Amino acid sequence: LTNDSKLEIFDIINGKKIESINLEYYKNNEFSFPTSIAISDNFFIVAYSDGYIISYNFLGLKQWEISTNDIIKTPIKFHNNNLIILLSNKIMSVNPTNGNKNWDFLYENKNSISIYGGSLTSRNHILYFTLPNGEFGQINTIIGEKINSTFTSFTSNEYSLYHNNILHNFKNIISIFDNNMFLTSIDVSENNLLINKFRINNVTSYKFYNNTLITLNDQRILKTFNIFN
């Protein structure tokens, strides 16, 4: 999907373009461009930087659209057949067939809004997320209610415009890598804190893999950390 809302389809074997489809989209301003896409069997949904979310069929025709009146920095995702949207200070669930809102929850504070957006993961019917304003939340999607827990009480160190929180889910453990520096792990089945802001200095890149956080520092030294202890 290009910045000017053109869907281009390629052959994964030889890399050749098969088709190019112009999406039915009215560009509201020069700063409007696609930020993420969620694909289903019969349609796909595009989030735009200016807060519009639009569903298309595979002919490029618009099925529905909504405006969130916000800037969307976090990729949209499907969870249990619903579309989950993270906004600056709010999480929303939308019915992907018609764009109707299932529920939303507001999480307000006085933090800056991170340019990197938020992060979202899930375990069964529970959503775990951090919003671009640094708030942490947990939602039971069956009954559509907030949950208060050790995870939701987590706060980042010195939150700023350039803060970046990443979540990782492995078995019953949710890990938080806070601003490429502090590792926290929580056993969400027991609501227990296993690792509390363990500091890892000078990280230039990283990757979670199962129960391991792999980091590379500015001296090109590769290190691994067990997220359980």
Side-chain angles (χ1 to χ4, degrees):
L1 185 61
T2 66
N3 274 356
D4 57 353
S5 288
K6 182 179 293 183
L7 182 65
E8 297 187 337
I9 302 171
F10 294 84
D11 188 311
I12 61 172
I13 304 299
N14 56 31
K16 292 183 178 180
K17 185 188 296 186
I18 300 172
E19 190 174 6
S20 183
I21 303 171
N22 289 311
L23 302 187
E24 183 185 356
Y25 172 61
Y26 174 73
K27 191 169 185 177
N28 296 290
N29 60 72
E30 61 179 315
F31 303 107
S32 178
F33 55 86
T35 58
S36 64
I37 183 171
I39 301 175
S40 183
D41 290 336
N42 302 313
F43 58 88
F44 60 96
I45 300 173
V46 181
Y48 289 87
S49 57
D50 58 355
Y52 278 85
I53 297 175
I54 303 178
S55 173
Y56 298 97
N57 63 24
F58 283 97
L59 297 175
L61 300 178
K62 186 190 303 183
Q63 307 301 292
W64 54 258
E65 74 171 51
I66 58 174
S67 175
T68 63
N69 297 311
D70 201 349
I71 297 173
I72 301 178
K73 296 180 178 291
T74 311
I76 55 176
K77 291 184 179 180
F78 287 119
H79 178 261
N80 289 348
N81 298 318
N82 287 303
L83 184 70
I84 305 300
I85 306 160
L86 298 187
L87 303 173
S88 297
N89 61 358
K90 182 189 294 185
I91 182 171
M92 295 175 57
S93 171
V94 170
N95 184 327
T97 62
N98 55 28
N100 291 340
K101 182 171 65 178
N102 298 317
W103 48 255
D104 64 355
F105 294 100
L106 188 65
Y107 293 79
E108 292 186 300
N109 62 29
K110 296 182 179 179
N111 287 343
S112 301
I113 304 302
S114 171
I115 64 172
Y116 297 108
S119 185
L120 171 70
T121 190
S122 63
R123 181 173 180 265
N124 300 323
H125 60 281
I126 305 296
L127 292 175
Y128 302 86
F129 59 92
T130 175
L131 295 173
N133 68 354
E135 287 288 327
F136 285 76
Q138 188 173 335
I139 303 292
N140 182 323
T141 60
I142 292 179
I143 57 178
E145 288 187 357
K146 284 184 177 182
I147 298 172
N148 294 318
S149 66
T150 300
F151 175 83
T152 61
S153 65
F154 181 87
T155 56
S156 297
N157 292 342
E158 300 178 356
Y159 198 83
S160 72
L161 180 68
Y162 301 100
H163 213 91
N164 189 21
N165 286 326
I166 297 297
L167 304 182
H168 173 68
N169 177 16
F170 179 70
K171 294 185 176 179
N172 58 322
I173 307 299
I174 302 293
S175 293
I176 306 162
F177 198 33
D178 181 12
N179 209 29
N180 295 10
M181 188 178 297
F182 299 100
L183 175 64
T184 294
S185 288
I186 299 167
D187 183 338
V188 292
S189 63
E190 300 293 335
N191 203 31
N192 287 335
L193 187 65
L194 302 180
I195 301 174
N196 186 20
K197 296 183 179 180
F198 176 76
R199 182 168 184 146
I200 307 172
N201 291 320
N202 306 318
V203 174
T204 57
S205 64
Y206 62 90
K207 176 72 174 180
F208 278 105
Y209 181 74
N210 291 340
N211 66 327
T212 303
L213 172 63
I214 306 167
T215 66
L216 183 70
N217 66 19
D218 56 2
Q219 302 297 312
R220 297 185 180 180
I221 297 174
L222 195 68
K223 296 183 178 181
T224 61
F225 301 88
N226 191 323
I227 66 172
F228 289 103
N229 50 52

